[in-house]
């Protein structure tokens, strides 16, 4: 987190990769993204304000779909998906 108190990480406890938050001392592991989403969610990054996080989300219900940059709230709600092509 921007304040250094928590860490985001990805794990795959079941069929889908999900995002978790943990205190920097290793305590209080919390699942942030729903296991009901049909997405593999990976590469979480903090919003500079610490209010949101961005991760890559790949829809598993569509074959050969690309991962989209996705903005999540900390209650696990998918807020917005960005379809960004290429890089400068």
């Amino acid at each position: 987190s921007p304040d250094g108190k928590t860490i985001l990480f990805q794990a795959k406890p079941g069929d889908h990769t999900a995002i978790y938050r943990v205190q920097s001392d290793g305590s209080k592991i919390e699942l942030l993204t729903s296991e009901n989403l049909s997405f593999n969610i990976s590469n979480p990054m903090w919003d500079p304000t610490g209010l949101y996080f961005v991760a890559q989300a790949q829809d598993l219900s569509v074959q050969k779909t690309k991962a989209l940059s996705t903005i999540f709230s900390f209650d696990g709600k998918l807020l917005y998906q960005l379809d960004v092509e290429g890089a400068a």
Side-chain angles (χ1 to χ4, degrees), residues 7-14 16-23 27-37 39 41 53 72-77:
I7 299 166
L8 296 176
F9 68 97
Q10 68 190 49
K12 188 172 182 178
H16 301 91
T17 303
I19 304 301
Y20 294 79
R21 177 172 47 186
V22 63
Q23 297 296 311
S27 66
K28 297 184 183 177
I29 296 175
E30 174 186 13
L31 174 65
L32 295 178
T33 55
S34 172
E35 294 176 350
N36 295 327
L37 294 174
F39 294 103
I41 305 170
F53 68 95
F72 291 90
S73 62
F74 280 102
D75 60 2
K77 292 181 182 169

Side-chain angles (χ1 to χ4, degrees), residues 4-71:
K5 293 181 180 180
T6 57
I7 299 166
L8 296 176
F9 68 97
Q10 68 190 49
K12 188 172 182 178
D15 293 335
H16 301 91
T17 303
I19 304 301
Y20 294 79
R21 177 172 47 186
V22 63
Q23 297 296 311
S24 59
D25 66 2
S27 66
K28 297 184 183 177
I29 296 175
E30 174 186 13
L31 174 65
L32 295 178
T33 55
S34 172
E35 294 176 350
N36 295 327
L37 294 174
S38 63
F39 294 103
N40 268 337
I41 305 170
S42 60
N43 305 315
M45 295 180 295
W46 290 94
D47 162 70
T49 66
L51 299 176
Y52 307 99
F53 68 95
V54 177
Q56 295 296 307
Q58 184 177 22
D59 188 344
L60 298 175
S61 67
V62 180
Q63 286 188 342
K64 297 184 180 180
T65 187
K66 63 183 174 181
L68 299 176
S69 294
T70 306
I71 301 171

